[in-house]
Amino acid sequence: MPLDPRPAGPRTQGPAATDEVRRRNTAVLLRLLRDGSARSRADLARLSGLAKATVGAIVGDLEELGVILEAPAARDEPGRGRPGTLVRLDGRRHAGIGIEVNVDYVAVTVLDLTGAELWFERTAWGAGPPGTEQVLRLAREHLDRLHATGASALGLTVAVPGLIDRSLGQVVDAPNLGWHAEPLADRLAAGLSSPGLVVAVDNDANCAARAESLQGVAVGETDLVYLTGTVGLGAGVIAGGEVLRGSRGLAGEVGHLRVGTDQPCACGRTGCWEALAGQRGLVAATGLEVAAGEDPVAYAARVAALPDAATLLEPVVAAMVRGVTGLALGLDPAVVVLGGAFVPLADVLVPALEQALGAGFTGPGTRVAPSSLGLHAASVGAALDALDATYAGRRSLPRAG
Amino acid sequence: MPLDPRPAGPRTQGPAATDEVRRRNTAVLLRLLRDGSARSRADLARLSGLAKATVGAIVGDLEELGVILEAPAARDEPGRGRPGTLVRLDGRRHAGIGIEVNVDYVAVTVLDLTGAELWFERTAWGAGPPGTEQVLRLAREHLDRLHATGASALGLTVAVPGLIDRSLGQVVDAPNLGWHAEPLADRLAAGLSSPGLVVAVDNDANCAARAESLQGVAVGETDLVYLTGTVGLGAGVIAGGEVLRGSRGLAGEVGHLRVGTDQPCACGRTGCWEALAGQRGLVAATGLEVAAGEDPVAYAARVAALPDAATLLEPVVAAMVRGVTGLALGLDPAVVVLGGAFVPLADVLVPALEQALGAGFTGPGTRVAPSSLGLHAASVGAALDALDATYAGRRSLPRAG
DNA sequence: GCTAATTTATACGACTCCTGAACTAAGTCA
DNA sequence: TGACTTAGTTCAGGAGTCGTATAAATTAGC
């Protein structure tokens, strides 16, 4: 029961034993192989800084777990001495499941160990927002489907639009879904009773931000802001490679940031960012009505298609500039990723935002780019989160099952 | 030469060997003893989660290093079995040095290993902003003074008002000091030639924020914003217990965040936060002139003493509310600490800010408090940074010297 | 075609570290 | 005085990494 009495940052770790060393070194090698490239043991030793003997031992372990294949010696470049036997990751035995729950739809992404997509499904909820039993049923369905392929799930993460307590695995408040103080992780873990499966919960914007930084338009970036437009507006922030959470998990809840003056907001105040640039803001700016049951992204696409969209959207653009420059000044992201309903509006938004951010201090300004993962973003990020414990060395791969 | 090819967050670590395990576990015990409390080995084992044998071994090592003293068995409560022999940290042999360099003054704080202040000195620079040689001379002076007490320095960190590249130990740009692309850490390390001394550079607001979270008004908090008013205005952010840096180290550079409309700023734009709430903003609001050579804090104190300060400062308060709520919404800090020139104005600012932040989502709102470290903040934070590698387990204590 | 140089991979011994159990030490309580 | 309880140390066992030595597989050169 390791416990550290003082609140400590991520860099300040608790007690450890030697087996953690192996976990960490294994994770280093896994990360080197994650992209599917084939490497020799000697390569891995050089790249990781580990001794050859250590690499040999770890690769042996991984082979035994069925996670590594010896690729037939495909020697391209000449080279002098004995050619290495290449190994590459075989991700088919393990997977991560990501489920994005929203008011009117649910999206499921299943990624294999290498991060390759096994399948993605997006379906509308039958009637009204779902309860946790429906999420459980869906999770079980996809878990079974995964087991049928002979793979096992390392983790399952649910992305929820709301306030999350990640350490408790609780949805503190998801007003759109009508969920409050919902112990979702525990409930799913109990309902699935799949030993070794780690169930987690996270905010949808946080998941989307993680996805964009690992597989999307901001791949490789450790500092980025993901802005998502739905009916409302929210942000997910990756800072220093980690999701920024804040003291209560509210970091990135910027919908009610004051970026204007008059426009009244549902929250009672005026000038809120989401009142100006959320769906209601788009309606106010363009006069275009939302069709019954229309998706915010579809609506935004119709807005973008208006002949005089650029001029009509001026107040929206102004609000976005105020909001984004504020966030960017405080957080200094390398990229601002526009997601959700902002994707169809990217042609109008990106130039204006890049210009506003270009006048930065030194060096290149913050980039602005539309999400490349689109509707997949949150569920992919959730699935990546399910794999993260393994790649970060917090967890070792389970014995073959 | 451990190197991990992919940019990895703090939680994603490089390769490790068994000696790192010892470093980490030692750090766990050091943190438990840091506050000066005396504990028995058995207590330490229970609190840390380590085995008794391990605790015994580590405490033995630390005793040999002269870092731990066996306190005479002061048994207060009765208790049943054999009483434990208490040990406590003896910080006198090791210290961290923090130097805050500014345009017109320099502050030095030396903390012993337990974090207790050995001395603090604040002196004005003779004429004009200093060069790096003057910082070197000062560092050598305090290092000698420390050595004279029989202690050795674990690290020396310099807090600089400007843009820092921490991994390079470089001051990228400190316009007030006239420093550009200055390899300060290397220069000091070379000039001091004190083996084992780790020299680092950091931004002054970041250091101050760290100090407030470890010893100041926000002690124990892992998420806070430190706002400092000088002639300009800047913020240091602690998120998840770590300093938030951003992609280029510019995180927290919020002086030119747009919080108003008209007030022209030196940067050419209008409505910048520092134009409204920096020293020029105070002058504009109150009409009170800055005396020749007057310190921003002293000037702010005179402003606060004006009979009609509360009404005169209304535009300043409004700007602060806009800026602080923006930062707080994005970052969700537990506390906003007001430092520098905002300390004398706290009576006016705190109620207004707390009210604006109180209307939060759920739970208690963000606290607002004036800095309790005042002028010490940045240099104390720098000194704490110098001790941090030891307490975080990244570095082991040097053999007795 | 043979040999030397070069590189890969494994085997092995040395070393570090943590752990649990056994054991000794030093008290309290009856 | 003796039973009980808690503290601290010793020791064997297991897990890890590392460097060196060794075997294996090629290429380069003659």
Side-chain angles (χ1 to χ4, degrees):
Chain A
M1 240 65 57
L3 84 168
D4 188 303
R6 306 203 152 214
R11 208 159 258 144
T12 315
Q13 298 131 347
T18 50
D19 61 310
E20 171 151 349
V21 174
R22 173 54 71 93
R23 264 211 312 283
R24 266 180 53 173
N25 290 340
T26 305
V28 169
L29 297 189
L30 287 175
R31 289 202 299 276
L32 285 167
L33 293 167
R34 172 158 50 176
D35 56 7
S37 60
R39 293 231 160 79
S40 72
R41 292 165 175 77
D43 275 346
L44 291 172
R46 269 189 299 272
L47 291 166
S48 67
L50 292 167
K52 285 189 301 178
T54 306
V55 171
I58 295 178
V59 168
D61 281 4
L62 291 174
E63 255 173 322
E64 209 168 307
L65 287 172
V67 174
I68 266 191
L69 289 178
E70 292 214 336
R75 155 166 282 215
D76 297 353
E77 354 76 77
R80 270 161 110 50
R82 166 178 169 183
T85 56
L86 302 178
V87 297
R88 61 177 190 76
L89 213 54
D90 177 6
R92 290 172 298 180
R93 266 187 158 75
H94 302 274
I97 304 180
I99 303 184
E100 177 197 5
V101 178
N102 220 308
V103 193
D104 38 11
Y105 69 89
V106 61
V108 180
T109 293
V110 180
L111 300 179
D112 79 4
L113 184 62
T114 68
E117 189 171 299
L118 295 178
W119 65 82
F120 167 77
E121 275 187 19
R122 190 174 191 268
T123 45
W125 291 117
T132 55
E133 339 72 55
Q134 291 175 67
V135 178
L136 173 59
R137 201 173 321 138
L138 194 78
R140 186 155 18 206
E141 182 192 316
H142 285 271
L143 197 57
D144 288 346
R145 187 166 154 195
L146 182 65
H147 287 157
T149 72
S152 70
L154 291 171
L156 182 153
T157 297
V158 186
V160 176
L163 174 60
I164 306 298
D165 184 326
R166 201 173 201 286
S167 57
L168 293 178
Q170 252 195 14
V171 179
V172 177
D173 189 28
N176 300 343
L177 297 173
W179 293 1
H180 304 279
E182 193 70 63
L184 186 58
D186 285 350
R187 198 159 293 191
L188 292 179
L192 294 169
S193 68
S194 180
L197 180 76
V198 177
V199 181
V201 188
D202 206 342
N203 174 273
D204 57 346
N206 287 346
C207 286
R210 187 189 294 115
E212 295 288 349
S213 84
L214 290 172
Q215 295 201 340
V217 71
V219 58
E221 296 295 352
T222 56
D223 293 87
L224 69 96
V225 171
Y226 177 91
L227 261 185
T228 177
T230 53
V231 174
L233 184 154
V237 180
I238 307 282
E242 295 288 326
V243 171
L244 185 77
R245 302 200 175 273
S247 63
R248 292 157 297 187
L250 287 169
E253 296 289 339
V254 291
H256 300 283
L257 184 61
R258 190 142 201 263
V259 299
T261 47
D262 299 331
Q263 193 73 17
C265 179
C267 75
R269 282 170 285 197
T270 60
C272 294
W273 191 352
E274 83 173 38
L276 285 153
Q279 197 172 49
R280 299 169 72 120
L282 294 181
V283 174
T286 63
L288 190 68
E289 290 295 325
V290 181
E294 189 178 29
D295 191 51
V297 181
Y299 171 74
R302 282 205 297 133
V303 167
L306 290 176
D308 46 354
T311 44
L312 286 175
L313 287 173
E314 263 166 25
V316 175
V317 171
M320 290 294 286
V321 166
R322 283 292 277 274
V324 170
T325 51
L327 273 183
L329 269 181
L331 295 164
D332 185 31
V335 194
V336 174
V337 180
L338 299 178
F342 296 131
V343 176
L345 303 174
D347 286 347
V348 180
L349 291 173
V350 171
L353 291 173
E354 283 215 308
Q355 197 208 333
L357 293 172
F361 260 54
T362 53
T366 296
R367 232 169 80 218
V368 181
S371 160
S372 66
L373 295 168
L375 299 174
H376 295 224
S379 59
V380 167
L384 286 169
D385 179 62
L387 299 175
D388 185 57
T390 300
Y391 281 107
R394 294 194 305 276
R395 176 184 206 273
S396 50
L397 283 165
R399 289 259 142 247
Chain B
M1 241 67 57
L3 84 169
D4 188 303
R6 307 203 151 212
R11 207 160 260 146
T12 316
Q13 298 131 348
T18 51
D19 61 308
E20 170 150 350
V21 173
R22 173 55 70 92
R23 265 213 310 284
R24 268 182 51 173
N25 289 339
T26 305
V28 169
L29 297 189
L30 287 175
R31 290 203 298 276
L32 284 167
L33 293 167
R34 171 158 52 177
D35 56 8
S37 60
R39 292 233 160 80
S40 72
R41 290 163 176 79
D43 276 346
L44 290 173
R46 270 189 298 271
L47 291 166
S48 67
L50 293 166
K52 284 192 303 179
T54 307
V55 171
I58 294 179
V59 169
D61 281 4
L62 291 174
E63 255 173 324
E64 209 168 307
L65 287 171
V67 175
I68 265 190
L69 289 178
E70 291 214 336
R75 155 168 282 216
D76 297 353
E77 353 74 77
R80 276 162 105 53
R82 166 180 170 181
T85 56
L86 301 178
V87 296
R88 60 179 190 75
L89 213 54
D90 177 6
R92 290 172 297 180
R93 267 186 154 79
H94 302 274
I97 304 181
I99 303 184
E100 178 197 4
V101 178
N102 220 310
V103 194
D104 38 11
Y105 69 91
V106 61
V108 181
T109 293
V110 180
L111 300 179
D112 78 3
L113 185 62
T114 68
E117 190 172 297
L118 295 178
W119 65 83
F120 167 78
E121 276 186 19
R122 190 173 192 267
T123 46
W125 290 116
T132 55
E133 337 74 53
Q134 292 175 66
V135 178
L136 174 58
R137 203 173 318 138
L138 193 78
R140 187 153 22 206
E141 183 192 314
H142 284 272
L143 197 57
D144 289 346
R145 188 165 152 194
L146 182 66
H147 287 157
T149 72
S152 71
L154 291 172
L156 182 152
T157 297
V158 186
V160 176
L163 175 59
I164 306 299
D165 184 326
R166 200 170 202 286
S167 56
L168 293 178
Q170 251 193 16
V171 180
V172 177
D173 189 28
N176 300 342
L177 298 173
W179 293 0
H180 303 280
E182 192 70 63
L184 186 59
D186 285 351
R187 199 160 291 191
L188 292 178
L192 294 170
S193 68
S194 180
L197 180 77
V198 177
V199 182
V201 188
D202 206 341
N203 174 272
D204 56 347
N206 287 346
C207 286
R210 188 188 294 114
E212 296 288 350
S213 85
L214 290 172
Q215 295 202 340
V217 70
V219 59
E221 296 293 352
T222 56
D223 294 87
L224 68 97
V225 171
Y226 177 91
L227 261 186
T228 176
T230 53
V231 175
L233 184 154
V237 180
I238 306 283
E242 295 287 326
V243 171
L244 186 77
R245 302 200 175 274
S247 62
R248 291 155 299 186
L250 287 170
E253 297 287 340
V254 291
H256 300 283
L257 184 61
R258 191 143 199 262
V259 298
T261 47
D262 299 331
Q263 195 72 16
C265 179
C267 74
R269 284 170 284 194
T270 59
C272 293
W273 191 352
E274 83 174 38
L276 284 153
Q279 197 171 51
R280 299 168 69 120
L282 294 182
V283 173
T286 62
L288 190 67
E289 291 295 326
V290 181
E294 188 178 31
D295 191 52
V297 181
Y299 171 74
R302 283 205 296 132
V303 167
L306 290 176
D308 47 355
T311 44
L312 286 175
L313 288 173
E314 264 167 25
V316 175
V317 171
M320 291 294 286
V321 165
R322 282 293 276 275
V324 169
T325 51
L327 274 181
L329 268 182
L331 296 163
D332 185 30
V335 194
V336 173
V337 180
L338 300 178
F342 296 132
V343 176
L345 303 175
D347 286 348
V348 181
L349 291 174
V350 171
L353 291 173
E354 283 216 306
Q355 197 210 332
L357 293 172
F361 260 54
T362 54
T366 297
R367 232 171 77 217
V368 181
S371 160
S372 66
L373 295 167
L375 300 173
H376 295 225
S379 59
V380 166
L384 286 169
D385 178 63
L387 299 175
D388 185 57
T390 299
Y391 280 108
R394 293 194 305 276
R395 173 185 209 270
S396 51
L397 283 164
R399 291 257 141 250

